Structures are given as C-alpha cells and as structure tokens.
Amino acid sequence: MQTGKRIGIVGGGPGGLTLARILATRGIGSTVFELDEHRLSRPQGGSLDLHEDSALVALRHAGLEDGFKVLARYDDQGDALYDHLGALRFQLGGDPSGGRPEIDREQLRTLLLDSLPPETIRWGSKVRAVEPLSDGRYRVAGEHGSLGEFDLVVGADGAWSKVRPLVSSEEPRYTGVMFVELSIDDVDARHPDVAALIPRGKVSVVGDCLGLIAQRSSNAHVRVYLMFRVAEDWLRHGEVDLSSPERARAALKARFTGWAPSLLRFIDVSNDTIVPRPIIALPVGHRWTHRPGVTLLGDAAHVMPPFSGEGVNMAMLDAAELALGLSEDSDWIRTVAAYEARMFTRAAEAAAGAMEGLDFVSEHALAHTLEHFEAIQRMAGAPHP
Ligand SMILES: Cc1cc2nc3c(=O)[nH]c(=O)nc-3n(C[C@H](O)[C@H](O)[C@H](O)COP(=O)(O)OP(=O)(O)OC[C@H]3O[C@@H](n4cnc5c(N)ncnc54)[C@H](O)[C@@H]3O)c2cc1C
C-alpha cells in the first residue's frame, strides 16, 4: 500500500532501520538520513541480547527471523557473577533454548540494511534540525541545506536527537556512572587464561563502587566495560591519558587496586582502543504532548542506562509498533498518538528498572546483584502462566 505521504526517518540505528524495513514490507516507502558516511565507517559496538517479547517480535514483523537465526548465538546467553577477589558467586542461565539470543551489533545492522531498498538510506546526511512548514509538513535540514520535506518525521537519532526539541525540552543527563570500553581480540588463541574466565556469554564482576562486565562477541572477540563513579569532566582531570594506551591501561588498573590479578587481566590484554562512555539518561517517564507530523523512538525518546540490556530491544519494539500502526490505520495522527501513549508507559517501566541497575556500581553492589540474579533465575524457572 502506497499512501502518498512521505516519511523521513532521522537515524539509521537499530530503531530507524527496523521502522524502515517493516514499513517497506507493507508497501510504505521512507527515507532514512544517517550521519555515517557508509555502513562500515565506524565500529558498531559489542554483542546484544535480543528479547523474545520485544526485538524478536520486531524481527518477526520485519520478516527477518530466519536471517537472524543464522547469525544468532544461542549458546552465549549465560552470565557468571564474580566478586572482586575472583570468587564465582552465581552462574546464571547459559541454556541455549533461552529467550535472549545474542547477535553482534554489526551483524544486526547488516541484516537490516541488506533487507532495505538501497535508495532508502541517505548516507553522510547529518541532520542539523527539523523545521515546521506552514502547511503542516516538516523540512529536514542538513549541514548544507534542505534534505527534503515530509508529512511525518521520526526521530530515531539516538540520545542527542535533533528531532526531540520539536516535542520536548528535556535533554539526557549524566548519571554519575562512567563506563570505559576496552576490547580483547582473538581471546581463545592469544589469551587462554582470560578465555577460561569467559568461555561463553558474559561475566559480571562487582566490587565496592567498581564494576566490570565482559561480553563475548563472535570471532573470539571480547568487549569489556570498566565502571566507576566519577564527575562528568573526569577525563579532563588527566587521570587517564588516552593518547598513551599503555599509560591509560596502567591508570585504569590502579583504580581497581585490590582486585584479583586474574580479573585485572581483562585490562592487561586489551587492545589500544579505549573508549570512555559516560552513562546518560532522560528522566524516567519522559513524555510529551503529541505534535502531529513528528515523533520519536528508541534512545531519542527514552535513553536509559544499559544495565538491563533493554535499549535496543525497546527501540526495535517501538519501531515495530509504529510501523504496524502506520500500515493499518490511515489516520496517522491518531495512530502516532496511540503509539506514543503505549511507548511512554512501556519506556517508563524499563527506564525505572535501568536506573536501579546503577546500583551495580555502588557500595552494596554484590548483595544487590545477587538478589537480581536470583530473581532472574526464579523467573526463568517459573512455569508460564
Ligand atoms: C556502553 C553501552 C552498552 C550498551 N549495551 C546494550 C545492550 O547490551 N543491549 C541493549 O539492548 N542496549 C544496549 N545499549 C543501549 C543501546 O545502544 C541503545 O539503546 C540503542 O542503540 C538505541 O537504538 P536507536 O536506534 O534508538 O539509537 P542509536 O543506536 O543511537 O542509533 C542512532 C543512529 O542515528 C544516527 N544519528 C545520530 N545523530 C544523527 C543526526 N544528527 N543526523 C543523522 N543521523 C544521526 C547515528 O549515527 C546512529 O546510527 C548500550 C548502550 C551503551 C552506551
């Protein structure tokens, strides 16, 4: 079904691409503006667990379930919890029949991109602003002029959305928790002692206001997040000098003094790509009054701390609900408003849980995380209602 209406999607992340794909399968064209110059212009990050009640539902509506199954790592669903002295405190899951299979972020993006007509994506299109026109449509403005005019503009452009100011004056704020991302290459062949700590899936380690999560991706690659509480401008104080990876690793290790040497190996053997990631969030329950012709999805609407692994899952479910609504109801104002109402409720609940996850980097982190793991295990063992 071609509606004759034009849809502009700002941002070609998992949310924006899922929206474009599901619309395309229902005969509705759209244009995605993505600031990356091309699909390989930057690494896309680590492994994602996709949940059966959100992202996997979206992939089914997108007709990409079979493609996903080929790439997914069903046996990487486990999570081992260690204390900072290296003692194993809990072993969660690992059951390949679980409902949270893993996929590399890059593979997910490729799956979605390959499913779209190539003319859908406008690479190298950094959106500067979205401007209302007198006839109710919107102009998407790039760095060098207009990128087009649309009946509906969807902001799928992440935490620092250029579309959000049309509906909300809120901005994400720093939560006080800093992640520093490290990467380990070819772990099985080159670092068997580290590989033995993370034979599959994920490893979580908690200490006093310090945390570490290591995640396996495909090809024996491991992504490590070091976590601590510092001021937002911490990097400028010079503790960690990113121009010298060797010195940066030494400074980061010093922060983790007292941790078991076996755990500090995650830092020792990491490569020279060291990326600070301040954890930011929009207020829990962020919402706006519906404005015809514009909406948001994913991080643009509800960026939250990543502890519960809901971000991509929420973004893809938002996209699926919006796409299905637009394809089933010709009254777009009504359908977008209805999508927003459902999304606000769902996102508020997920964001509240994600904010609680910040306790992973706190004085009572071990007790809190143990409780959390036990609750997950109880739920996994509970009979389906
Ligand atoms: C350290 C860390 C770890 C995480 N781990 C997980 C996890 O394990 N599981 C999980 O579910 N979530 C995780 N998340 C959250 C997850 O990354 C996001 O929730 C998810 O990527 C949101 O998808 P999105 O499509 O809404 O936005 P994004 O993925 O941010 O995509 C936005 C897209 O818009 C483009 N863009 C931005 N600005 C513009 C512009 N002005 N013009 C044009 N294009 C633009 C960007 O280049 C990007 O391609 C993590 C986040 C962090 C910080």
Side-chain angles (χ1 to χ4, degrees):
M1 180 192 60
Q2 264 303 351
T3 62
K5 290 188 180 159
R6 298 191 70 206
I7 302 179
I9 301 169
V10 182
L17 295 177
T18 302
L19 175 63
R21 164 64 185 176
I22 300 180
L23 288 173
T25 61
R26 270 85 180 155
I28 302 178
S30 63
T31 305
V32 178
F33 298 103
E34 169 53 49
L35 64 78
D36 287 351
E37 289 297 326
H38 53 83
R39 62 166 74 192
L40 300 175
S41 53
R42 68 183 162 94
Q44 291 297 313
S47 188
L48 297 165
D49 56 319
L50 300 195
H51 304 172
E52 61 188 353
D53 56 356
S54 47
L56 295 182
V57 173
L59 283 177
R60 198 168 325 125
H61 287 300
L64 295 174
E65 229 183 355
D66 291 345
F68 170 77
K69 281 181 182 158
V70 172
L71 300 166
R73 301 190 318 281
Y74 287 84
D75 46 5
D76 264 346
Q77 298 183 64
D79 193 348
L81 175 67
Y82 288 86
D83 64 28
H84 73 289
L85 299 175
L88 180 64
R89 305 296 292 257
F90 208 94
Q91 178 73 56
L92 191 62
D95 174 5
S97 67
R100 296 183 161 211
E102 296 274 338
I103 185 168
D104 288 5
R105 199 183 273 259
E106 208 151 293
Q107 292 173 325
L108 177 64
R109 199 186 203 199
T110 301
L111 180 70
L112 289 162
L113 283 172
D114 288 350
S115 74
L116 285 168
E119 66 278 9
T120 308
I121 314 276
R122 303 270 174 84
W123 294 104
S125 300
K126 183 172 182 181
V127 171
R128 181 180 53 75
V130 177
E131 299 157 352
L133 299 171
S134 56
D135 61 3
R137 292 177 308 137
Y138 291 84
R139 176 182 297 125
V140 174
E143 303 273 271
H144 309 291
S146 174
L147 296 171
E149 292 171 3
F150 297 89
D151 300 289
L152 175 64
V153 176
V154 181
D157 49 340
W160 302 107
S161 174
K162 293 287 190 274
V163 186
R164 191 173 50 232
L166 284 172
V167 291
S168 165
S169 57
E170 292 289 355
E171 290 268 288
R173 287 186 215 138
Y174 178 54
T175 59
V177 170
M178 180 71 65
F179 280 20
V180 176
E181 182 180 315
L182 308 173
S183 291
I184 303 174
D185 303 316
D186 206 4
V187 71
D188 297 318
R190 291 171 57 187
H191 313 291
D193 60 321
V194 177
L197 272 175
I198 181 164
R200 298 238 61 95
K202 189 163 132 204
V203 165
S204 304
V205 191
V206 282
D208 190 5
C209 288
L210 293 169
L212 180 155
I213 290 181
Q215 271 179 320
R216 255 189 194 256
S217 307
S218 57
N219 299 320
H221 191 267
V222 173
R223 195 151 309 237
V224 181
Y225 297 107
L226 307 177
M227 304 165 187
F228 38 87
R229 289 186 182 263
V230 283
E232 192 169 13
D233 62 353
W234 159 77
L235 206 56
R236 272 192 267 132
H237 297 171
E239 177 189 324
V240 171
D241 171 10
L242 293 178
S243 69
S244 161
E246 204 175 320
R247 278 206 301 276
R249 275 189 293 271
L252 288 165
K253 256 179 86 169
R255 269 204 165 256
F256 286 74
T257 300
W259 279 41
S262 58
L263 298 172
L264 295 179
R265 291 279 293 152
F266 280 113
I267 303 176
D268 291 332
V269 304
S270 65
N271 68 24
D272 288 351
T273 306
I274 300 175
V275 188
R277 296 201 186 276
I279 299 305
I280 54 169
L282 277 163
V284 173
H286 177 235
R287 54 178 57 226
W288 58 89
T289 305
H290 176 67
R291 177 172 185 163
V294 57
T295 193
L296 307 175
L297 61 75
D299 276 11
H302 45 63
V303 61
M304 60 187 79
F307 290 96
S308 38
E310 288 290 356
V312 164
N313 288 283
M314 289 286 113
M316 291 175 68
L317 185 58
D318 291 352
E321 287 195 352
L322 180 58
L324 294 176
L326 292 171
S327 65
E328 285 162 9
D329 185 350
S330 58
D331 183 340
W332 280 16
I333 294 180
R334 181 175 59 200
T335 201
V336 173
Y339 148 76
E340 286 170 348
R342 275 197 307 276
M343 181 265 284
F344 292 151
T345 306
R346 181 175 64 232
E349 202 178 307
M355 292 302 279
E356 273 178 32
L358 292 169
D359 270 358
F360 189 81
V361 190
S362 68
E363 287 150 11
H364 47 275
L366 184 57
H368 176 91
T369 312
L370 275 169
E371 260 171 43
H372 176 67
F373 273 51
E374 280 158 10
I376 295 179
Q377 191 166 63
R378 269 197 309 278
M379 277 193 300
H384 288 289

